[in-house]
Amino acid sequence: MKHTHLLLGVLAVCFLLSCYGGPSGGPPASPAVNMALNAPKDFANKDAATQNDEGVGHLQQGHWAASAEYFQKAIAAAPNLAEAHFNLGLALDEMGKHPEATEEFKKAKELAPSNPKISENDIVKKHLGM
């Protein structure tokens, strides 16, 4: 009987961890939270860089819609900021907006073809059929 209670307790903890993503609570982390890119330190448009980096913070917390808004503001301020396009693609992908994510990934790769964090990213490759 004692072992049955212990087994039930262990199963309950395993169930809770699987549902709530671990000891910290919340949903399980998406791989996208570790892929977001900050703006280059020397990027000339500081407003765009700040908007992008604020979006990264939200993306890392799983706030997809909030992060997308910051990335869109960064792109409006500096359409050539590849990292913002890439990050917006990540957020859109997480929100299930796959055609829009594909367009952002295309733009990011076009702007930074030699950046392996963009061009070699598995999510980007999936969207671009690589």
Side-chain angles (χ1 to χ4, degrees), residues 87-101:
N87 293 334
L88 180 55
L90 292 174
L92 292 168
D93 182 69
E94 288 295 335
M95 292 189 290
K97 296 180 177 183
H98 300 293
E100 296 93 333

Side-chain angles (χ1 to χ4, degrees), residues 29-101:
S30 160
V33 301
N34 296 317
M35 295 178 185
L37 300 175
N38 284 314
K41 297 289 183 214
D42 60 347
F43 193 72
N45 187 322
K46 297 305 178 197
D47 179 51
T50 300
Q51 295 294 332
N52 178 75
D53 294 353
E54 184 70 25
V56 168
H58 283 283
L59 189 106
Q60 290 172 335
Q61 296 176 56
H63 304 156
W64 315 128
S67 67
E69 289 181 27
Y70 281 100
F71 300 137
Q72 289 166 336
K73 289 177 187 176
I75 292 166
N80 63 331
L81 181 55
E83 291 79 4
H85 287 281
F86 172 77
N87 293 334
L88 180 55
L90 292 174
L92 292 168
D93 182 69
E94 288 295 335
M95 292 189 290
K97 296 180 177 183
H98 300 293
E100 296 93 333

Side-chain angles (χ1 to χ4, degrees), residues 1-16:
M1 182 78 165
K2 182 177 178 181
H3 293 291
T4 304
H5 285 110
L6 179 62
L7 178 61
L8 289 173
V10 169
L11 289 174
V13 168
C14 289
F15 172 77
L16 289 172

